[in-house]
Amino acid sequence: MHSRAARPVLAVVTAGAAVALGLTGCAAAPDPGTVTVLNSATDTAEHTKNQKFFDRCARPLGLRVEQLSVPADQVASKALRMASSRSLPDILELDGSELPQFALTGGLRPLADLGVATSGFSRSAVSLGSYQGTRYGVARSANSLALYYNPDLLAKAGVEPPRTWAELRTAARKLTGDGTYGLAFSASPDADGVYQFLPFFWSSGGDEARLGDGGGAKALGLWKQLVADRSVSKAVVNWNQQDVNDQFVAGRAAMMINGPWQVPVLDAQKKTRWAVASIPVPEAGGTAVAPIGGTVMTVPKSDTPDRERNAAKILDCLNTPRNQLDWGKATNNVPTRTAAARTYAEQNPELAPFAELVATARSRTARVGTRWPAVGDALAGAFQSVLTGRSSPEAALRRAQQQASTGK
Amino acid sequence: MTTLTRRPALLRWLFIAPALIYMAAFFGYPLVRNLLMSFQHYTPTTYFTGEAPFNGLDNWRAVLADPLFTDALWHTALFTAGSLLGQFTIGLALAVFFSRRFRLAGLVRAVLLLPWLVPMVVSAVVWRRILDQEHGVLNTFLQAVGLTDGGVPWLSSPSVALLSAVLVNIWIGIPFNMVILYGGLQEIPRELYEAAALDGARPWRAFRSLTLPMLRPVITVVLVLGFMSTVKILDLILALTAGGPADATQTLGTVTYQLSFLRLDFGQGAVVGTVLILVSAVFAVLYLRANRADFGKGK
């Protein structure tokens, strides 16, 4: 029993001890048999799915995998905080567009040093995980954008899925009316809108490293025309990808630009039928250049080589052709091994357009590296000012060029 | 100094010390750190290596040269002034209205508090639906009463979006203003109004010559607190318009967020943060001076 007078002292001591414990707790070496992962799988279903694949790989190695999941937009800042307290996880799963910023810090281990397999992956997938020619991240699967359409509405209007921009304009106009717009896309001033603009920008010859050279102005012109035709709602400047999907599901859009991550939502509702086609190209015979998206798994440098080696073993296992294929099916994303992607397309014909696009898709950061956030912002400014009638496509791109170069 | 006078002085400092240490650790340190950061090249690399080289005025020059910063400054001023004006006048009107007793007053007052209870992001999402150009309730209503024929582009036109954001923020801020002002009104003795009525003062005259002067200290508190929470607003605008369309709703808050957490240039983000702190500090000093004047007069 403690006397009354001793109590405050005791309180101070326990508080001090708690602080001390808390501090050492951060730096304490984790159990060597556990591989820690930081990712954005906050959704329970996704978290469980991830854990299943991790366990499948870790168990034969006598390891355990622990996931730490935070919302996608907080992964980078969480990882930075962990880096400053020297408590980074063994595997850090970043969005592809964030990789260069982290690679530049020198805090990531080049995957070649760890002997992580590299052959058999599509060029675009390798590019997604690379910075200045060095591979730091490996993507199990990747995604891109395609044109979703409502086959019922298209049949009713007597329209085929459009393949060129001209066909897209005509089809969108024919499909508009009666509370339904022909097409919906996201033109929000953030990552969603930029991602959706890229297939148009790149397919018409735009260059993210030289925004002002006039290439890609045609893409801005197309978006502007579609809104001016009234076959796309003026409200697209506020819509994120989720809103676009909501419009499609509600029957207020006959076609939409979106990614495979919407498939579970689309499948869950019975009323609206859907199908996927490749994104239309400027001229017949051209190839659509879509952005490649998805996350890459990286291995932060560690003081204990064993930890890095264990992480590498897990990465190799997650990326066996079979695991990639299973993972792709589980998440509706396309495997990054070329052969697995082919099998995937055969087994999921309704998502085959994605598989084709991903093989040729372009990485956002391959050309501009760590400058991508500034370039993306500048592009968003460009399409927003064109869609709201504030400037012409050419003037908007010239201003974007200025913005992107000052925001270095 | 004798030991007799020194000991109480020491004791006094001992009592003040915890508060001082707390202030220094939780307010002083971040402030100084933020100011220093604005002169440093502070990037993701810093977190790994701990190195943040000083780069003089580079960050300041880059931020101040960006037209977006000037726009954001201007938007912040408009947003803050508009929000405060709307929140305060409507809040005061409601407070005066409810300071009279009538049936169901308590219930209606409780309903009016609702915006305060709803998380900011939820409000913003709901308002996005209400303000939707084609399917939003507001435009449907306006068209039904015949006030507009085409839908008002509440959030999709750069010339209207800032106004819409102000309107939503007014809606969010009314309860706070109402509650504090209502509390202030309760403090004013009823007899004063009776005396004023005997002197022949009409309601408007009583309000101007009695209510407003008596409420002054409360009004300063409401306006200063309102200013501080409005000038740095971020979540509402991110959820409502994400700074768009065409940067029409970019404020100092959203620019800081963009620079620090999207571009990961923490040095440049700190510049905008420092500007925000300076603006707030100016108003805090004005507020303290106003209060000191009140104390000086023995109020």
Side-chain angles (χ1 to χ4, degrees):
Chain A
M1 272 283 153
H2 302 288
S3 71
R4 217 159 218 288
R7 251 191 217 158
V9 179
L10 185 73
V12 170
V13 170
T14 37
V19 170
L21 275 177
L23 288 177
T24 51
C26 296
D31 167 26
T34 306
V35 175
T36 52
V37 179
L38 176 66
N39 62 15
S40 61
T42 45
D43 177 68
T44 316
E46 200 189 336
H47 194 90
T48 322
K49 235 182 270 170
N50 259 304
Q51 193 65 45
K52 208 183 90 193
F53 279 84
F54 283 133
D55 288 347
R56 197 196 269 189
C57 284
R59 237 177 252 132
L61 298 166
L63 296 169
R64 271 182 348 110
V65 174
E66 248 172 47
Q67 289 184 79
L68 173 63
S69 303
V70 297
D73 53 352
Q74 287 168 30
V75 172
S77 51
K78 173 84 185 167
L80 288 178
R81 263 177 287 141
M82 292 174 97
S84 66
S85 61
R86 300 270 165 272
S87 58
L88 272 172
D90 302 319
I91 296 175
L92 171 61
E93 189 168 357
L94 294 166
D95 188 82
S97 64
E98 291 167 346
L99 179 92
Q101 314 253 15
F102 278 81
L104 184 71
T105 65
L108 300 180
R109 180 72 65 198
L111 292 182
D113 295 5
L114 299 169
V116 174
T118 53
S119 58
F121 284 76
S122 72
R123 261 223 336 255
S124 54
V126 172
S127 154
L128 185 70
S130 302
Y131 175 64
Q132 294 189 338
T134 309
R135 253 166 46 94
Y136 292 97
V138 56
R140 283 191 277 179
S141 66
N143 59 56
S144 190
L145 293 166
L147 182 82
Y148 284 80
Y149 60 93
N150 182 328
D152 298 338
L153 291 179
L154 264 68
K156 212 162 77 184
V159 180
E160 288 289 307
R163 282 180 311 253
T164 63
W165 284 8
E167 287 177 23
L168 178 68
R169 251 188 100 184
T170 327
R173 225 173 340 191
K174 279 189 191 156
L175 290 162
T176 301
D178 211 16
T180 301
Y181 282 102
L183 176 69
F185 51 76
S186 160
S188 57
D190 49 26
D192 275 19
V194 175
Y195 196 63
Q196 298 232 329
F197 180 59
L198 286 173
F200 295 97
F201 182 70
W202 280 335
S203 302
S204 75
D207 180 353
E208 63 273 31
R210 289 180 300 149
L211 294 174
D213 71 355
K218 273 192 296 177
L220 285 171
L222 173 75
W223 272 24
K224 193 187 159 102
Q225 274 173 343
L226 285 164
V227 172
D229 289 350
R230 293 181 174 270
S231 35
V232 167
S233 166
K234 276 184 185 163
V236 287
V237 289
N238 296 318
W239 289 351
N240 56 34
Q241 288 164 357
Q242 201 53 56
D243 297 326
V244 169
N245 197 49
D246 289 346
Q247 297 287 327
F248 183 81
V249 167
R252 290 181 195 147
M255 304 184 283
M256 69 165 172
I257 308 290
N258 228 321
W261 52 85
Q262 304 290 9
V263 168
V265 189
L266 290 167
D267 272 342
Q269 48 88 40
K270 301 274 171 280
K271 273 195 341 223
T272 312
R273 291 211 304 135
W274 59 274
V276 181
S278 188
I279 289 193
V281 288
E283 308 287 339
T287 344
V289 189
I292 184 167
T295 56
V296 292
M297 290 191 172
T298 63
V299 181
K301 282 181 183 163
S302 160
D303 302 330
T304 29
D306 271 355
R307 304 202 71 90
E308 291 181 3
R309 267 197 295 273
N310 286 342
K313 279 183 206 156
I314 301 273
L315 289 192
D316 266 338
C317 166
L318 288 173
N319 286 292
T320 60
R322 200 193 133 213
N323 277 341
Q324 272 209 356
L325 192 60
D326 288 353
W327 177 250
K329 279 186 208 156
T331 55
N332 296 305
N333 275 3
V334 183
T336 49
R337 282 180 177 277
T338 320
R342 218 173 294 130
T343 320
Y344 175 85
E346 281 159 19
Q347 294 176 355
N348 301 274
E350 74 282 4
L351 292 178
F354 284 112
E356 282 158 34
L357 280 168
V358 164
T360 56
R362 187 157 153 185
S363 148
R364 284 161 284 175
T365 55
R367 273 176 67 68
V368 292
T370 54
R371 280 181 50 226
W372 173 252
V375 172
D377 259 359
L379 268 181
F383 60 68
Q384 286 244 316
S385 62
V386 168
L387 286 182
T388 54
R390 289 226 152 163
S391 62
S392 69
E394 290 77 16
L397 282 174
R398 272 198 302 275
R399 192 183 131 84
Q401 172 65 53
Q402 258 170 20
Q403 264 184 306
S405 42
T406 52
K408 245 181 257 182
Chain B
M1 235 189 253
T2 65
T3 39
L4 260 175
T5 54
R6 211 187 295 154
R7 278 196 57 184
L10 192 74
L11 243 149
R12 230 176 7 238
W13 278 109
L14 261 175
F15 276 108
I16 299 173
L20 278 182
I21 293 170
Y22 175 81
M23 295 282 287
F26 289 97
F27 295 97
Y29 176 72
L31 271 180
V32 173
R33 197 54 204 275
N34 192 64
L35 188 66
L36 280 179
M37 257 170 86
S38 72
F39 296 103
Q40 285 175 308
H41 189 62
Y42 208 106
T43 59
T45 314
T46 310
Y47 286 89
F48 284 87
T49 59
E51 284 163 24
F54 282 91
N55 59 359
L57 289 172
D58 282 6
N59 293 335
W60 287 83
R61 245 180 252 129
V63 170
L64 296 183
D66 190 346
L68 184 60
F69 176 77
T70 332
D71 286 353
L73 202 63
W74 182 230
H75 295 154
T76 310
L78 285 178
F79 181 80
T80 311
S83 298
L84 283 187
L85 191 74
Q87 289 171 359
F88 177 74
T89 42
I90 300 177
L92 181 62
L94 287 171
V96 171
F97 182 69
F98 282 109
S99 64
R100 278 177 260 168
R101 283 167 210 290
F102 54 90
R103 288 178 64 177
L104 294 183
L107 182 77
V108 182
R109 220 170 56 218
V111 170
L112 279 170
L113 284 182
L114 257 169
W116 211 4
L117 302 176
V118 182
M120 191 81 102
V121 176
V122 177
S123 312
V125 170
V126 172
W127 273 100
R128 265 187 65 180
R129 303 236 155 150
I130 296 176
L131 296 175
D132 189 272
Q133 194 173 344
E134 278 129 41
H135 311 285
V137 182
L138 188 58
N139 277 343
T140 316
F141 170 77
L142 288 178
Q143 271 160 347
V145 267
L147 274 173
T148 56
D149 38 2
V152 180
W154 292 110
L155 297 173
S156 40
S157 157
S159 40
V160 191
L162 189 63
L163 176 74
S164 306
V166 169
L167 289 180
V168 174
N169 194 44
I170 289 177
W171 178 82
I172 289 171
I174 287 172
F176 170 73
N177 282 260
M178 188 183 81
V179 167
I180 309 271
L181 292 170
Y182 178 81
L185 284 174
Q186 301 301 95
E187 298 283 301
I188 304 175
R190 296 280 121 201
E191 302 86 60
L192 287 178
Y193 287 99
E194 284 160 25
L198 283 178
D199 286 343
R202 304 256 179 117
W204 173 241
R205 180 67 204 266
F207 176 77
R208 241 182 22 180
S209 311
L210 200 65
T211 314
L212 277 186
M214 294 293 284
L215 263 184
R216 234 196 80 191
V218 182
I219 291 177
T220 5
V221 170
V222 165
L223 287 182
V224 169
L225 290 182
F227 176 85
M228 305 266 195
S229 60
T230 312
V231 81
K232 63 174 169 55
I233 207 133
L234 171 72
D235 39 4
L236 173 72
I237 291 186
L238 280 189
L240 206 57
T241 59
D247 290 332
T249 54
Q250 291 275 14
T251 60
L252 292 180
T254 59
V255 172
T256 320
Y257 172 78
Q258 212 172 46
L259 287 172
S260 298
F261 296 105
L262 299 180
R263 294 203 191 169
L264 300 181
D265 191 328
F266 300 95
Q268 290 194 11
V271 171
V272 186
T274 306
V275 170
L276 262 177
I277 293 170
L278 286 178
V279 173
S280 289
V282 167
F283 275 79
V285 169
L286 285 179
Y287 164 71
L288 287 176
R289 289 198 60 157
N291 262 13
R292 199 170 54 192
D294 280 349
F295 291 133
K297 279 189 236 148
K299 276 188 189 169

